[in-house]
């Protein structure tokens, strides 16, 4: 009887201690996550604004519900991604800055979309794949003719 009471008390103490540790871990992660979420939201909203501007200039039909739905989908995806990488970074002891590099990658992807939305109405298409080939091929002595593939002007 007494051993059952002691065992129950130990179980509750361990559970209470784990809840405290888990709460502190999540709280630290959320505090670290907030700036990255603000940056992600700002970049996503800029992409929405540039996408709407591009559609209006090019005479495409703009449906508010569709634009907002796509933007909310991006926000959910990117916020989930930020949440995941911040938790991984905290769990690894913040040694590798996984969160910073991952969030900068997300911002880079959105910036490519923003630049594309700005250049598209002017008839300029930015080829990101060729840009990467040029950047990584720079160390391998890329010919100047290869640069022409990075930016293409569309014929109207």
């Amino acid at each position: 009887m007494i051993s059952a009471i002691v065992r129950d008390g130990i179980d509750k103490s361990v559970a209470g201690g784990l809840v405290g540790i888990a709460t502190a871990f999540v709280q630290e992660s959320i505090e670290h996550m907030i700036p990255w979420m603000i940056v992600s939201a700002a970049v996503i909203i800029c992409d929405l604004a540039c996408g709407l501007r591009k559609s209006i200039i090019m005479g495409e039909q703009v449906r508010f519900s569709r634009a907002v739905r796509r933007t909310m989908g991006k926000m959910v995806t990117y916020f989930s991604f930020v949440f995941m990488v911040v938790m991984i970074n905290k769990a690894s002891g913040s040694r590798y800055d996984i969160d910073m590099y991952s969030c900068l990658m997300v911002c880079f992807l959105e910036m490519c979309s923003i630049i594309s939305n700005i250049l598209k109405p002017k008839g300029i298409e930015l080829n990101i794949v060729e840009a990467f080939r040029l950047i990584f091929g720079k160390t391998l002595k890329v010919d100047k003719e290869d640069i022409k593939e990075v930016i293409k002007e569309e014929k109207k």
Side-chain angles (χ1 to χ4, degrees):
M1 180 72 175
I2 293 179
S3 66
I5 294 172
V6 171
R7 196 174 324 138
D8 189 44
I10 291 172
D11 289 346
K12 288 181 182 179
S13 297
V14 170
L18 289 176
V19 167
I21 292 169
T23 302
F25 176 77
V26 171
Q27 185 177 2
E28 277 184 45
S29 297
I30 289 173
E31 287 174 5
H32 189 72
M33 189 182 316
I34 290 173
W36 291 118
M37 290 215 178
I38 291 170
V39 169
S40 296
V43 173
I44 292 168
I45 290 171
C46 283
D47 185 40
L48 172 65
C50 290
L52 288 173
R53 178 184 170 273
K54 176 198 79 154
S55 295
I56 291 170
I57 289 173
M58 295 184 75
E60 296 173 356
Q61 182 182 5
V62 178
R63 289 182 38 202
F64 181 73
S65 62
R66 186 173 184 202
V68 170
R69 185 176 346 117
R70 289 186 67 206
T71 300
M72 289 300 139
K74 275 186 184 181
M75 283 190 168
V76 167
T77 302
Y78 289 159
F79 286 179
S80 299
F81 183 72
V82 168
F83 184 79
M84 178 189 70
V85 296
V86 167
M87 294 295 249
I88 291 170
N89 188 52
K90 282 293 178 187
S92 68
S94 300
R95 285 178 271 172
Y96 305 111
D97 293 329
I98 298 167
D99 56 344
M100 180 181 71
Y101 295 118
S102 299
C103 292
L104 289 175
M105 182 193 70
V106 167
C107 290
F108 174 75
L109 292 173
E110 281 300 302
M111 284 304 293
C112 291
S113 177
I114 290 168
I115 291 169
S116 176
N117 285 333
I118 291 171
L119 295 177
K120 185 84 171 178
K122 297 176 181 180
I124 300 172
E125 182 181 335
L126 181 63
N127 190 338
I128 300 298
V129 174
E130 290 298 325
F132 275 124
R133 280 191 192 143
L134 176 66
I135 291 168
F136 291 118
K138 191 74 168 168
T139 58
L140 303 173
K141 312 278 186 191
V142 175
D143 295 331
K144 290 192 176 188
E145 292 179 13
D146 292 337
I147 296 173
K148 294 177 183 177
E149 296 295 320
V150 173
I151 297 178
K152 293 181 182 178
E153 194 163 337
E154 292 180 359
K155 295 178 183 177
K156 294 183 179 181

